[in-house]
Amino acid sequence: MLIIFTASTYIYSQSIGSIISSQKSNPYYIKEAQSQLNAGEIDTALVLYAKAIEEAQKNRIGGNGVNGDLLAEYAYALALHHNFEAALINIDRAMALGAKYGNFYASQILTVMGYSEAAEQFMGEVKVPEWISNDFQNLTSKYSTKISFNRDEPQDALKRASKLAANGQIIQAVALFEELLSFYPDVYIIYADYSAVWEKLKKYECASKMLKKGIDLIPQDNETKATFNTHLNEIHEAWRKNTSNTWAKKIFGAGTPKLMTYAGASFAGKTFSLNGRIGAYTSKKFSGSINLGLSFASKQASGNIGISAYKGWGIFLAGLGVTDYFSKKSNSIGISPQVGLSILNKNQTASFDITLGGYIPFSKNPTVSYSISIGETVYISLSK
């Protein structure tokens, strides 16, 4: 992977040399780079981030190289250094790698470049990385500037912006469109093409406002005006449908679903069980799964199979399912409620789960049983 890096001609050679020679672990470089960035030592931070990326490339395992969030941090540092072209390239790469805080760093980079309205579209409800939560506002504000990074003729730049968006290099496209509008605020086609970027991102309100500005610049006798008005109505309809699904999003979450697999054990009196689940998980709010289990009690084995759904509130979760318990001598179907804790790791790739579960069979005189389960769930992203 080509990593673009520029720093000032004079770098603190002695201090940097001592830092690099004293430690060789990639986590150290990252932590030290974060510390230097928080202190406003941008040049030093850039050198350390470049070293961390170099080490990550050398130590890659199974084809996995640089972590997306490491690239995103590096891109932000580059933006603070006013190397916007490199910053934009790296933030797009970071987001393609699924950086957890990609939208946060994208919003900060756009803010540093002076495009605060576009930045707000990416900020939304994103979480701020803990390591920079106390300093990012001051850093972003201190280094904000307006510097042109486009070297193309206007017509070529417009084509390149649309091509970048089509290739998924969204932040580069947004920044280029913003710069074009700052120089050519009366050219309707820029607004129209830029609107398509926000529409692709399902930011329909922003897409609508952008296209409306472009339409207002088109002469009344131009046939293009009617065509764009028709498309504006289509955007409004998509916006309406998107907002009408808010209740479902609140329940199920709006994120890209992840594959969920669980393995654990449960205990109920003298009964010991091994349990597994596989299903789908969305936005820390909702998951559904198919469940399998094998139980042992008094040297007798039995199995179970069922389906369940879970709703989360932070680390707390509650679930409800239907389970069929079967053995050579019996078969029983009933309801299986659960409540407990699900604690995600920092990368949100796995969670430690502990739950209290019940079982209520469908019978005239049901006997309610309880169990405690402990296990781990692994989440596998299905996004590109």
Side-chain angles (χ1 to χ4, degrees):
M1 177 183 291
L2 174 63
I3 301 297
I4 298 178
F5 171 72
T6 60
S8 61
T9 305
Y10 175 73
I11 299 177
Y12 311 97
S13 57
Q14 291 183 345
S15 60
I16 291 296
S18 62
I19 290 172
I20 291 178
S21 61
S22 63
Q23 296 286 340
K24 293 296 183 183
S25 65
N26 188 44
Y28 172 84
Y29 292 132
I30 297 172
K31 186 174 181 180
E32 187 63 24
Q34 292 172 344
S35 177
Q36 294 293 327
L37 196 66
N38 279 328
E41 299 292 341
I42 310 302
D43 288 343
T44 309
L46 281 171
V47 172
L48 289 163
Y49 274 125
K51 189 65 180 176
I53 291 169
E54 179 185 347
E55 290 297 312
Q57 289 286 53
K58 288 180 180 178
N59 300 326
R60 62 184 182 273
I61 300 174
N64 294 319
V66 180
N67 174 274
D69 279 299
L70 172 56
L71 269 185
E73 291 180 25
Y74 179 54
Y76 178 50
L78 285 165
L80 296 178
H81 195 265
H82 297 162
N83 189 346
F84 294 136
E85 185 175 1
L88 294 168
I89 290 172
N90 280 285
I91 190 60
D92 272 329
R93 286 173 173 161
M95 296 180 77
L97 289 171
K100 177 182 175 182
Y101 298 106
N103 281 345
F104 165 77
Y105 289 113
S107 71
Q108 297 309 302
I109 290 169
L110 290 170
T111 302
V112 171
M113 297 180 73
Y115 306 133
S116 56
E117 290 186 13
E120 289 176 5
Q121 297 299 318
F122 291 96
M123 195 63 177
E125 299 178 359
V126 301
K127 290 185 177 180
V128 178
E130 185 176 350
W131 72 270
I132 200 171
S133 59
N134 295 327
D135 298 299
F136 79 93
Q137 290 177 323
N138 288 335
L139 283 170
T140 300
S141 176
K142 179 179 179 180
Y143 292 98
S144 291
T145 187
K146 279 274 191 178
I147 299 175
S148 176
F149 68 96
N150 173 48
R151 299 177 184 85
D152 294 335
E153 293 296 321
Q155 64 274 19
D156 294 330
L158 182 58
K159 290 179 182 178
R160 183 159 67 91
S162 296
K163 186 175 181 179
L164 286 167
N167 290 338
Q169 296 164 289
I170 299 298
I171 312 303
Q172 292 177 73
V174 167
L176 188 49
F177 273 118
E178 288 286 342
E179 180 164 313
L180 283 168
L181 286 178
S182 69
F183 284 108
Y184 309 101
D186 298 325
V187 179
Y188 77 85
I189 195 63
I190 300 177
Y191 291 96
D193 287 356
Y194 191 18
S195 171
V197 177
W198 296 117
E199 188 178 356
K200 181 178 181 179
L201 294 172
K202 297 185 178 181
K203 303 284 187 180
Y204 297 115
E205 182 177 5
C206 188
S208 174
K209 289 180 179 179
M210 198 63 60
L211 185 55
K212 182 65 168 60
K213 288 180 179 179
I215 290 172
D216 291 343
L217 293 170
I218 302 174
Q220 289 294 335
D221 58 349
N222 192 320
E223 294 180 0
T224 305
K225 197 179 187 78
T227 302
F228 281 132
N229 271 316
T230 299
H231 188 60
L232 181 61
N233 291 332
E234 294 172 353
I235 292 176
H236 287 160
E237 179 62 17
W239 185 8
R240 184 191 66 78
K241 289 181 179 179
N242 190 59
T243 53
S244 66
N245 291 329
T246 300
W247 65 271
K249 290 179 180 179
K250 288 182 178 179
I251 296 174
F252 300 112
T256 303
K258 296 180 180 180
L259 179 67
M260 177 190 75
T261 60
Y262 167 89
S266 63
F267 309 87
K270 297 181 179 181
T271 302
F272 169 76
S273 300
L274 297 174
N275 307 310
R277 294 198 299 266
I278 184 169
Y281 166 93
T282 62
S283 297
K284 298 189 295 181
K285 293 187 177 183
F286 176 82
S287 63
S289 66
I290 298 173
N291 312 323
L292 298 169
L294 186 62
S295 301
F296 304 90
S298 302
K299 298 183 180 180
Q300 298 293 321
S302 62
N304 67 77
I305 185 171
I307 57 173
S308 58
Y310 300 87
K311 178 77 170 64
W313 297 269
I315 65 171
F316 300 100
L317 64 83
L320 186 64
V322 176
T323 305
D324 179 11
Y325 284 90
F326 55 88
S327 66
K328 291 182 178 180
K329 298 181 180 180
S330 65
N331 188 75
S332 174
I333 299 177
I335 298 174
S336 303
Q338 283 191 344
V339 293
L341 303 175
S342 181
I343 304 171
L344 280 165
N345 63 12
K346 290 184 179 181
N347 295 326
Q348 296 191 347
T349 56
S351 64
F352 172 75
D353 305 326
I354 179 168
T355 58
L356 173 64
Y359 176 69
I360 308 171
F362 295 127
S363 63
K364 291 183 180 180
N365 298 302
T367 300
V368 181
S369 59
Y370 302 94
S371 64
I372 294 177
S373 298
I374 299 174
E376 183 177 27
T377 303
V378 175
Y379 307 99
I380 303 170
S381 177
L382 300 177
S383 65
K384 184 174 75 172

